[in-house]
Amino acid sequence: MYQGFYNLASGMLTQSRNLNVISNNMVNIQTPGYKRDKMVSTTFQEEMLYRTGRRYKDNAEPLATTSKIRAADQTYVNYEQGSYEQTEGILDFALTDTGFFCIDTPAGVRYTRNGSFFVDDEGYLALNNSGRVQGTDGGPIAIDTEDFSVDGMGNITVPAKSSSGEDGETETEEARVLGTLRVVDFADYGQLHKEDYGLFSTGQAPQEKENPSVLWQALEKSNVDMIEEMTSMMTSQRALQSAAQVLKMYDQIMSKAATDVGRL
């Protein structure tokens, strides 16, 4: 009887945590570059059951292995690449291959697939609520004009211009590079730690991407599948409700055993 309390209560706690993970995925379905989480559960401890005699306890016979409690094991991040959306925004970038943009934050360098950048008050390319975008030289990228283009290597270039001066002579402004987006990758994604705002941290040494494959004026969509998340949510809710109902029945039986049966 008491075993049921452990099984049902642990199941409710596990399903509640799984619902939190699913809800977070659904909330971030429109977040560029977001990678969905998946919680995996396991048994807390396995024990061997033995059968013995009522009077003599020698020569116990093993019957089976049972688990006492179900518990959350780990939350994994699905790094599968999402689809792309053309935005026509000049400060929107996406990566069509593996890798991460580098962001300077107050806590150190962080990594993200979210390329929805903006220009901060001091004229530097930045990610909202995070920090400034790093260039290949390790410093921030200053954006002093909107007349620029970006190639597949992440080079932000202002094209050459020709204009006529007051004296009628042609003045030429040479092309210049504002900066190059720094894109890195890692050998083991399992060591990446997911943080807020779609950022990742790790103790690994980053590997510079020689061919980063940057897509300009586009964003990578979240890889969350709404239908799959809704199905998982309904499954967890049903399991949570069922466990709660059976747990209530157990409580009623124990209460009756302690009051009515105890008086006999």
Side-chain angles (χ1 to χ4, degrees):
M1 177 64 72
Y2 292 104
Q3 174 66 46
F5 282 103
Y6 289 107
N7 292 340
L8 294 169
S10 63
M12 291 176 62
L13 293 173
T14 302
Q15 295 299 338
S16 178
R17 180 173 176 179
N18 190 39
L19 286 172
N20 291 336
V21 173
I22 295 172
S23 300
N24 186 60
N25 287 337
M26 296 175 67
V27 167
N28 287 281
I29 194 170
Q30 297 296 332
T31 302
Y34 177 81
K35 302 304 177 185
R36 67 182 292 265
D37 294 324
K38 182 176 180 60
M39 194 200 76
V40 178
S41 61
T42 184
T43 54
F44 179 75
Q45 183 178 1
E46 293 187 349
E47 296 181 355
M48 179 66 73
L49 295 180
Y50 292 90
R51 180 172 62 189
T52 61
R54 294 184 178 180
R55 179 175 299 179
Y56 301 104
K57 306 300 182 182
D58 297 335
N59 301 321
E61 180 183 354
L63 294 178
T65 301
T66 183
S67 59
K68 295 293 184 182
I69 295 177
R70 184 183 181 188
D73 182 23
Q74 189 174 353
T75 300
Y76 293 92
V77 180
N78 183 350
Y79 292 97
E80 181 180 352
Q81 197 163 330
S83 58
Y84 300 97
E85 177 184 8
Q86 293 291 336
T87 64
E88 305 303 327
I90 62 173
L91 298 178
D92 289 339
F93 306 86
L95 296 174
T96 60
D97 198 357
T98 59
F100 299 86
F101 297 111
C102 301
I103 310 297
D104 271 325
T105 72
V109 180
R110 295 294 183 265
Y111 310 95
T112 184
R113 296 280 297 186
N114 184 358
S116 180
F117 302 145
F118 75 103
V119 177
D120 63 17
D121 295 338
E122 297 181 8
Y124 292 99
L125 195 64
L127 179 65
N128 193 29
N129 297 319
S130 301
R132 291 174 177 173
V133 181
Q134 264 193 1
T136 52
D137 59 356
I141 300 175
I143 305 294
D144 57 9
T145 178
E146 295 183 353
D147 185 16
F148 61 82
S149 61
V150 183
D151 60 19
M153 298 295 294
N155 297 310
I156 305 175
T157 306
V158 177
K161 295 180 181 179
S162 297
S163 60
S164 298
E166 296 180 356
D167 54 1
E169 294 183 358
T170 301
E171 298 179 355
T172 302
E173 182 179 347
E174 296 183 355
R176 57 193 177 95
V177 178
L178 298 179
T180 302
L181 295 171
R182 184 189 179 200
V183 180
V184 300
D185 204 358
F186 300 95
D188 183 9
Y189 282 12
Q191 297 185 35
L192 295 178
H193 174 67
K194 195 172 188 179
E195 299 184 358
D196 295 335
Y197 307 113
L199 300 178
F200 294 89
S201 62
T202 181
Q204 299 178 85
Q207 303 172 356
E208 304 293 332
K209 290 280 289 186
E210 296 181 0
N211 299 302
S213 300
V214 177
L215 185 62
W216 185 38
Q217 296 183 336
L219 290 174
E220 180 186 1
K221 291 184 177 180
S222 164
N223 65 354
V224 176
D225 186 338
M226 178 59 76
I227 296 178
E228 182 179 348
E229 297 300 323
M230 286 294 294
T231 303
S232 299
M233 174 171 282
M234 289 188 291
T235 302
S236 291
Q237 285 179 334
R238 294 288 176 84
L240 180 60
Q241 292 171 357
S242 298
Q245 291 174 355
V246 177
L247 190 61
K248 185 177 180 180
M249 293 172 57
Y250 267 54
D251 182 63
Q252 292 174 347
I253 293 173
M254 294 299 296
S255 176
K256 195 171 188 66
T259 56
D260 298 347
V261 179
R263 290 197 298 263
L264 298 178

